[in-house]
Amino acid sequence: MTNPPRTCLAVVLAAGQGQRMRSERPKVLHEIAGRSLVGHALAALTAAGVDRIAVVVGPDREDVAREARRIAPDARIFVQADRRGTAHAVLQARAELEQGADDVLVAFADTPLIEPATYRALRQALADGASVAALGFEASDPTGYGRFLIEGEALVGIVEHKDASFAQRAVRTCNAGLMALSGAHALDLLDAVGDDNAQREFYLTDVVAGAVARGLSARALLAPESEVMGVNDRVQLAAAEAVIQTRLREKAMREGATLIDPASVHLSWDTRLGRDVIVEPNVWFGPGVVVEDGAEIHASSWLEGARVRAGAGVGPFARLRPGADIGPKAKIGNFVEVKKAEIGAGAKVSHLSYIGDATVGAEANIGAGVVTCNYDGFLKYRTVIGEGAFVGTNSALVAPVTIGAGAFVGSGSVITHDVEADSLAVARGRQIARAGWARAFRARKQKEKGTAKR
Ligand code: UD1
Ligand code: CA
């Protein structure tokens, strides 16, 4: 017989002001790998299979609430009007706690690197009989952290740094802050917390001693320090970015992509690289990029919101902006920018072009310096280039305009009217030729110059 699945409520504390960021933005809206800190925490909880999420935000933080709802649409938002400690913050979600759940997970929005498996392990400790499970780590420098008080196998208390004795401060096993509480006891334990301590705060950590006093059991789980690190300033933000980049790069490589110089490749949380993709050094992936199998991203390219289909080549020095869709085996060369445009299979845009708001047919060839003139200062217009068309070097295509399939546009043309399929369009000044003109011109000018000097 299998047990029915346990239900879980996650309470995410996001009420920090984060003054040490020295920012107009609230701390939890700062980003790593292209996603907000609170977004990472909520996504990991969702991946860990929690049933309900409550987010506790500071007063007038509609921006944080909006971001939370964007990532977890069913999250309920609670406001902590004044900061009176982590237990006080959790209790702002009283309405959700009263509805009950088998497990209550408490997470910090400024601790973005916790893996779903770690949240699941905390819940497993409850399923195994603990009433409280706290996440800890061996701190390289424990200053400032709460210390785990462990007796034998059991966690018997957590003492905050400011309240710790000299002997307790020698303990290096520290509290990461995250906790799982048995739903049956969560409200009782939280309501029993007082503020008789150095900071006159209601400490979440006091639920451990509270549980032990009631004869309930508490357990400590340990995680690597790099996973539990919190972000309080921009130096820690960069450190968290480094950790998540390493994770994302290793995942991409394990899934079959070659990163020649991994440390120089910046990935976003959702970057998807297929098998046998090759990424050369100095490439930036903003959010929303998919690179299909066998495609190559050459050095120093920048991609965001783009799809690169199987076997295509991009760069070096290319920029794919949102809506760029590069077809199978197509080629986007150096100093080419593509935005909101589908480039057909096998098409080539090899040098120095801007292709925006456009469709380029399969096997079309777009010469160096071709520009789609898609904007008149007010609205955007589309350019459609048919299959197999050839657009000569340095042509301007003034949208809205259509170049028919198989058509040929002469170099240096400014195309303002549609071009029929399989026809030739040349729209430039006609070349004139005057034999001997240059020689005569030079002679005349040299004479003029000589006269002027005297
Ligand atoms: C907390 C832990 C400490 C642990 C450390 C890990 C407590 C009492 N202490 O300490 O044992 O080692 O985290 O980093 O839990 N928050 C609110 N409202 C409040 C207070 C805090 O929402 O009134 C949020 C903060 O925004 C933050 C989190 O709770 O996300 C932790 O609060 P913080 O003040 O940073 O706790 P620490 O003193 O660092
Ligand atoms: Ca902290």
Side-chain angles (χ1 to χ4, degrees):
M1 228 180 72
T2 58
N3 294 320
R6 297 168 66 93
T7 58
C8 182
L9 164 68
V11 181
V12 180
L13 306 191
Q17 299 112 310
Q19 290 99 334
R20 283 162 62 199
M21 298 298 283
R22 302 200 183 281
S23 176
E24 293 295 311
R25 257 202 270 183
K27 175 170 75 175
V28 297
L29 295 188
H30 283 262
E31 295 183 351
I32 56 171
R35 179 183 245 179
S36 65
L37 300 181
V38 64
H40 283 284
L42 291 170
L45 287 163
T46 304
V50 307
D51 303 284
R52 282 143 55 214
I53 296 180
V55 182
V56 180
V57 304
D60 304 318
R61 281 271 71 111
E62 190 41 46
D63 46 3
V64 176
R66 206 179 315 117
E67 171 69 355
R69 281 196 213 96
R70 192 174 71 82
I71 307 287
D74 298 328
R76 271 188 79 181
I77 311 296
F78 296 89
V79 176
Q80 185 188 27
D82 34 29
R83 246 179 102 87
R84 302 190 58 199
T86 42
H88 179 260
V90 176
L91 279 169
Q92 304 313 301
R94 184 180 291 279
E96 280 291 323
L97 291 160
E98 279 170 350
Q99 276 191 38
D102 297 317
D103 304 340
V104 175
L105 266 178
V106 180
F108 292 173
D110 66 355
T111 307
L113 298 169
I114 306 288
E115 307 255 26
T118 301
Y119 286 123
R120 283 195 291 264
L122 284 169
R123 293 185 59 193
Q124 187 59 46
L126 301 185
D128 294 343
S131 295
V132 176
L135 187 66
F137 63 105
E138 293 298 332
S140 47
D141 175 8
T143 311
Y145 290 111
R147 308 297 208 285
F148 274 1
L149 307 181
I150 293 176
E151 284 174 12
E153 291 279 278
L155 178 67
V156 296
I158 302 175
V159 57
E160 288 305 292
H161 182 88
K162 286 185 178 148
D163 301 293
S165 67
F166 186 75
Q168 287 167 335
R169 285 188 183 183
V171 173
R172 303 184 77 88
T173 310
C174 290
N175 178 31
L178 315 193
M179 239 175 241
L181 312 177
S182 135
H185 301 287
L187 259 180
D188 279 357
L189 290 172
L190 289 162
D191 277 330
V193 170
D195 65 350
D196 182 16
N197 53 52
Q199 303 184 83
R200 310 240 29 113
E201 280 187 6
F202 295 89
Y203 290 161
L204 173 63
T205 44
D206 283 353
V207 301
V208 172
V212 172
R214 286 158 199 237
L216 302 169
S217 78
R219 263 192 65 193
L221 267 74
L222 296 188
E225 185 165 11
S226 60
E227 182 181 353
V228 302
M229 72 167 289
V231 173
N232 298 302
D233 60 24
R234 310 237 186 193
V235 175
Q236 289 172 334
L237 185 71
E241 179 81 66
V243 172
I244 200 163
Q245 287 300 325
T246 301
R247 270 190 204 169
L248 292 168
R249 290 170 189 140
E250 289 182 357
K251 180 168 172 283
M253 291 187 278
R254 292 218 167 82
E255 288 173 357
T258 293
L259 308 189
I260 294 172
D261 177 18
S264 73
V265 175
H266 179 278
L267 299 168
S268 279
W269 64 277
D270 62 347
T271 305
R272 275 164 48 204
L273 306 180
R275 291 172 72 149
D276 294 315
V277 162
I278 295 177
V279 181
E280 291 180 357
N282 299 320
V283 175
W284 177 276
F285 291 95
V289 176
V290 177
V291 181
E292 294 181 1
D293 294 353
E296 297 192 10
I297 312 298
H298 301 291
S300 299
S301 294
W302 190 102
L303 301 82
E304 179 179 358
R307 177 178 281 266
V308 179
R309 294 184 190 261
V314 171
F317 301 100
R319 180 171 183 198
L320 301 187
R321 290 170 51 201
D325 184 340
I326 312 305
K329 296 205 162 79
K331 182 181 174 205
I332 302 298
N334 41 242
F335 308 108
V336 171
E337 174 178 339
V338 181
K339 182 215 73 166
K340 261 196 203 159
E342 301 89 51
I343 310 296
K348 291 193 180 72
V349 189
S350 298
H351 338 262
L352 301 156
S353 282
Y354 172 62
I355 306 294
D357 301 296
T359 302
V360 175
E363 303 295 334
N365 191 306
I366 310 297
V370 169
V371 169
T372 54
C373 310
N374 59 328
Y375 186 48
D376 60 7
F378 297 92
L379 294 170
K380 302 277 170 66
Y381 305 93
R382 286 194 73 78
T383 299
V384 177
I385 300 171
E387 282 186 20
F390 183 99
V391 181
T393 296
N394 217 35
S395 292
L397 309 177
V398 183
V401 73
T402 297
I403 313 291
F408 196 105
V409 172
S411 300
S413 290
V414 177
I415 298 294
T416 54
H417 298 289
D418 288 355
V419 177
E420 256 178 53
D422 294 319
S423 67
L424 166 71
V426 184
R428 63 176 184 236
R430 210 172 242 288
Q431 186 166 337
I432 56 167
R434 288 184 197 151
W437 183 92
R439 195 187 317 118
F441 172 80
R442 278 194 301 273
R444 194 172 77 237
K445 286 293 168 185
Q446 257 153 18
K447 203 168 157 202
E448 270 177 35
K449 206 173 166 189
T451 328
K453 260 188 190 157
R454 254 185 281 137

